[in-house]
Amino acid sequence: MKGAGSALLSALLAVALSGAFASDAWAQRQTERSRQKVAAEKQRAGIQQQLAAIKRDINQTESAKEDAADTLAESEAAISDANRALRDLSEEQDSTATRLQELANQQAQLAQTIRAQQQQLARLLREHYVAGNEDRIKLLLSGDNPNRISRDLQLMAYVSQAQARLLDAVRSNLAQVEANRDKVENAQQELEEIAQEQLDQKNTLEKEKARRAALLGTLSSKLADQRKQADRLKGDEERMSGLVDRLARLIREQAEAERKRQVAAAAAAAARAKAKAEAEEKARVLAVARAKAAAERRAERERERERIARQNAAAKPGVKPEPMPEPIKEAPLVVEQPRPVETRPEPTPAPAPEVLLGPAAPAGSFTSLKGRMGSPINGSVVARFGTRRGDGPNWKGTFFKAPEGTEVRAVAPGRVVHADWMRGFGNLIIIDHGGEYLSIYGYNQALLKRPGDSVRAGEAIASAGNTGGNEESGLYFELRRNGKAFDPAGWVRF
């Protein structure tokens, strides 16, 4: 019996842990991180297509005249992508490592709990072995006081229930251990994926930096000449205005799409509520009618019984009394559940534009921050809005001189509506703050956000650079409303 008890415990633990070490299948599994990345890329595809169409439209309206900075576009965009990927991977790595540590702590706590439960279970099995399996039979045949026998049997039942609960708890904790093993395995694989991606991105970054340095060496004199050409500066300004106008149109389309979506959702919810109310009212009226009809039938039968009773009381002796009617057996009243209301399908309207951007900032939120916004970068102002720009047009924004890689921050909350390379401005990011307000950040080495992303005030969105053929490293910053640039000095603390 003692060997059988140990075998029972071993069998229980073996069954509960049977799948714990089947980790070879993980090599064929896709990690949760990979699935989320694929879903995110699909979600971003729509807005990327619309922005690519805007870029093609701008390129088609431009002169075919060669621009030396265009030669740098591919390498500068690749450097930006690699830097953003490395930053994202670093954040993912920290988050995954934290999750892995939490799982390890949970695993240790579960292991400690299971050891205590195993010891308790082993003690119960030993006691069961010592007592034997005939406790209840012996007690019933003992001839003792029936009340005492009943009490002892009840206590034994309580003990059995406690043992069953203990077994269930052991099984549950062992299942949690197995689930945690899966999560740990997944997190470890994610860290391996991240490390490999970081290595690939670092190699890409170094290669593209070397490529850009070589291009700058061959184009330096040409870039210097083009920076002095007034028509180039004017063309850059017109290109920016064209991009802002097209983005404003996209923002309006997205706002209209969101409005239509909300109207459609509200109409559908109202229709469902109305249909439910009508069905419930119909069921209530039907229930009332049935109850009234049943009451009338009972009253009619009662009147009939009274008539027969009076007739039989007045009948002469020897006359067979008329039988009483059987009482009505009322069927239980069942209130019908509301049924879905069948509606004829209406003609399908033309599909509204898909809502691809993040939620718009509340109206008035940007103007409420006037004079209180922090500087977009830690740097020195070397060109202000409205000052002369060589022989070309006046500056439409502010240029901050700062070392390459300096963090660029959003001046206010909003959503990214553009993040791409553009002639004259290099790696450019534009944020919509609602109310027709835009903030523009150019010359960046790297763009850390993608179109559609929501950003907070002070959040890092880029790193400073001198992309787009510009001479000095830093940040070009603009504020616009209704497509028109205005002086940020009264809005942002420089």
Side-chain angles (χ1 to χ4, degrees):
M1 284 293 290
K2 187 173 183 179
S6 300
L8 176 62
L9 177 60
S10 301
L12 173 63
L13 299 180
V15 169
L17 289 170
S18 60
F21 301 101
S23 60
D24 291 342
W26 273 103
Q28 309 299 326
R29 296 188 192 177
Q30 185 184 34
T31 63
E32 183 64 25
R33 173 179 175 270
S34 300
R35 287 191 290 272
Q36 290 176 352
K37 284 185 68 176
V38 170
E41 289 301 327
K42 287 182 179 178
Q43 189 175 7
R44 283 195 290 265
I47 188 64
Q48 293 286 10
Q49 289 175 0
Q50 291 201 23
L51 293 176
I54 290 175
K55 190 174 181 180
R56 286 194 301 270
D57 190 19
I58 292 174
N59 290 339
Q60 287 171 1
T61 62
E62 293 215 332
S63 168
K65 189 175 180 180
E66 181 185 359
D67 191 296
D70 291 352
T71 311
L72 300 168
E74 186 177 347
S75 64
E76 289 181 345
I79 289 171
S80 173
D81 290 344
N83 274 306
R84 182 182 64 238
L86 284 170
R87 185 185 178 95
D88 291 345
L89 288 169
S90 177
E91 291 176 354
E92 276 192 87
Q93 192 173 43
D94 292 344
S95 175
T96 305
T98 300
R99 190 169 77 251
L100 195 59
Q101 184 59 49
E102 291 173 352
L103 289 170
N105 294 339
Q106 292 175 12
Q107 199 81 334
Q109 291 176 358
L110 283 170
Q112 184 177 358
T113 302
I114 288 172
R115 281 195 299 271
Q117 290 174 332
Q118 287 173 336
Q119 293 172 0
Q120 188 177 359
L121 186 60
R123 186 171 63 253
L124 288 173
L125 289 172
R126 283 195 299 271
E127 292 173 357
H128 185 68
Y129 167 73
V130 171
N133 294 324
E134 301 176 356
D135 291 349
R136 289 175 175 78
I137 298 175
K138 288 180 179 179
L139 189 60
L140 287 170
L141 298 178
S142 64
D144 204 346
N145 186 319
N147 291 332
R148 180 179 173 277
I149 292 173
S150 176
R151 185 178 66 251
D152 290 348
L153 288 173
Q154 187 64 42
L155 290 174
M156 288 182 179
Y158 290 149
V159 171
S160 297
Q161 291 170 8
Q163 292 172 346
R165 286 194 296 271
L166 177 60
L167 287 171
D168 289 342
V170 171
R171 292 190 187 100
S172 175
N173 285 332
L174 290 172
Q176 287 187 49
V177 167
E178 184 175 354
N180 265 24
R181 280 201 183 98
D182 288 350
K183 292 177 182 177
V184 167
E185 186 78 18
N186 184 73
Q188 288 172 340
Q189 285 200 341
E190 287 182 359
L191 284 175
E192 292 173 5
E193 284 181 7
I194 291 169
Q196 183 59 48
E197 288 183 29
Q198 282 178 325
L199 181 61
D200 295 342
Q201 292 296 339
K202 285 177 181 177
N203 291 336
T204 299
L205 181 61
E206 293 304 319
K207 183 176 70 175
E208 292 299 338
K209 280 185 175 180
R211 180 184 171 197
R212 181 174 184 265
L215 287 171
L216 282 172
T218 59
L219 295 171
S220 57
S221 60
K222 194 171 185 179
L223 286 168
D225 290 341
Q226 288 186 349
R227 279 194 291 267
K228 298 174 183 177
Q229 297 173 6
D231 61 332
R232 292 280 178 180
L233 299 176
K234 185 178 180 182
D236 292 345
E237 181 184 324
E238 291 175 351
R239 193 176 305 111
M240 174 64 77
S241 296
L243 173 61
V244 167
D245 289 344
R246 288 168 174 82
L247 288 175
R249 192 181 311 126
L250 172 63
I251 291 168
R252 287 193 295 270
E253 289 174 355
Q254 292 289 289
E256 179 63 16
E258 176 63 14
R259 187 191 67 79
K260 288 182 178 180
R261 187 193 65 78
Q262 291 180 356
V263 168
R272 288 193 298 270
K274 181 180 178 182
K276 181 180 179 183
E278 289 176 349
E280 289 176 347
E281 178 62 17
K282 183 179 178 181
R284 188 191 66 79
V285 170
L286 181 61
V288 170
R290 286 181 174 176
K292 183 177 179 182
E296 289 176 352
R297 288 196 300 272
R298 285 195 297 271
E300 180 64 26
R301 183 58 58 93
E302 189 61 30
R303 287 194 294 271
E304 180 66 12
R305 290 173 62 86
E306 291 176 357
R307 184 191 65 77
I308 293 173
R310 288 195 301 271
Q311 181 178 321
N312 290 340
K316 295 179 180 180
V319 177
K320 185 177 181 181
E322 184 176 348
M324 289 287 188
E326 293 291 331
I328 298 175
K329 295 182 178 179
E330 297 288 351
L333 183 61
V334 178
V335 178
E336 292 185 355
Q337 294 296 320
R339 297 179 182 177
V341 177
E342 296 182 1
T343 57
R344 294 182 181 179
E346 298 181 0
T348 304
E354 187 180 359
V355 179
L356 302 170
L357 298 174
S365 62
F366 189 79
T367 54
S368 68
L369 297 173
K370 184 176 180 180
R372 298 188 291 115
M373 298 182 212
S375 177
I377 192 171
N378 294 330
S380 57
V381 177
V382 295
R384 292 183 178 274
F385 176 87
T387 57
R388 195 72 176 172
R389 189 174 184 180
D391 295 331
N394 294 341
W395 283 91
K396 297 295 183 182
T398 303
F399 178 67
F400 298 83
K401 187 176 179 180
E404 190 173 288
T406 303
E407 190 175 80
V408 176
R409 300 176 295 272
V411 295
R415 56 184 177 177
V416 178
V417 292
H418 179 87
D420 201 354
W421 192 93
M422 182 174 167
R423 183 192 289 184
F425 298 92
N427 290 319
L428 176 72
I429 188 165
I430 301 178
I431 300 176
D432 169 35
H433 300 287
E436 304 286 340
Y437 285 98
L438 299 176
S439 59
I440 299 171
Y441 312 76
Y443 303 173
N444 298 289
Q445 179 196 57
L447 306 177
L448 306 181
K449 297 296 180 180
R450 296 178 175 87
D453 288 348
S454 295
V455 296
R456 304 181 306 275
E459 183 175 358
I461 57 171
S463 59
N466 63 338
T467 56
N470 292 286
E471 187 175 11
E472 290 185 298
S473 174
L475 169 71
Y476 175 70
F477 174 72
E478 276 190 21
L479 287 181
R480 293 201 177 213
R481 187 188 182 195
N482 295 325
K484 304 297 182 183
F486 63 92
D487 189 357
W491 294 70
V492 180
R493 300 194 305 269
F494 295 150

